[in-house]
Amino acid sequence: MHTFTIVLIILIGLEHVGIMGLELLGSDRLIAKSFNLPLAEVGRPHLRTALANQGLYNGFVALSLFLIIFIPGGTLLRGMAIGLLAGIFIIAAYGALTVAKRILWIQGAPALITMVLAMFFL
C-alpha cells in the first residue's frame, strides 16, 4: 500500500501539471468550457493573467508533490504528504463553493482519499 499511495501522489501531481498547462497555455475556447466561463470573458487580459497566476500555483503544488516522494519514509514524508493533500482538498472545497461543485470531485476527492491512505501507509 505504501507504493500505491506514492503512485497516487504522483498521479495527483500530474493532474496539477495538466491544470497548470490548461490555465497557462489553454485556448480561450478550452478554458471557457473547462471553467464554465463565457468565451468573451476568457479573452479579457486581466482574467488570462489571473488564470496564469493560478496555473503557476498549480505547477508549484505539482512540484511539491513530486519532491516529497524523494523524502525517505517516516514522519517527515507522512507529514508533508498529509499537509499538501489536505491543502489541495481545502482549496478544492473552496472552489466547489465558489466556482463549480465538480472541482470537489475532480481535485478534492482524489486528494482526500490519498491523504487518508498516507495517514496509514506512509
Side-chain angles (χ1 to χ4, degrees), residues 58-80:
N58 277 297
F60 282 109
V61 166
L63 178 62
S64 299
L65 288 168
F66 294 146
L67 288 176
I68 67 168
I69 65 172
F70 293 104
I71 298 172
T75 306
L76 182 60
L77 171 62
R78 183 180 301 115
M80 293 293 294

Side-chain angles (χ1 to χ4, degrees), residues 12-29:
I12 291 171
L14 291 172
E15 176 184 31
H16 282 271
V17 168
I19 295 168
M20 176 190 72
L22 172 65
E23 291 170 340
L24 286 171
L25 306 170
S27 69
D28 288 356
R29 188 171 306 284

Side-chain angles (χ1 to χ4, degrees), residues 26-37:
S27 69
D28 288 356
R29 188 171 306 284
L30 181 59
I31 290 172
K33 182 179 178 189
S34 298
F35 295 108
N36 198 25
L37 295 167

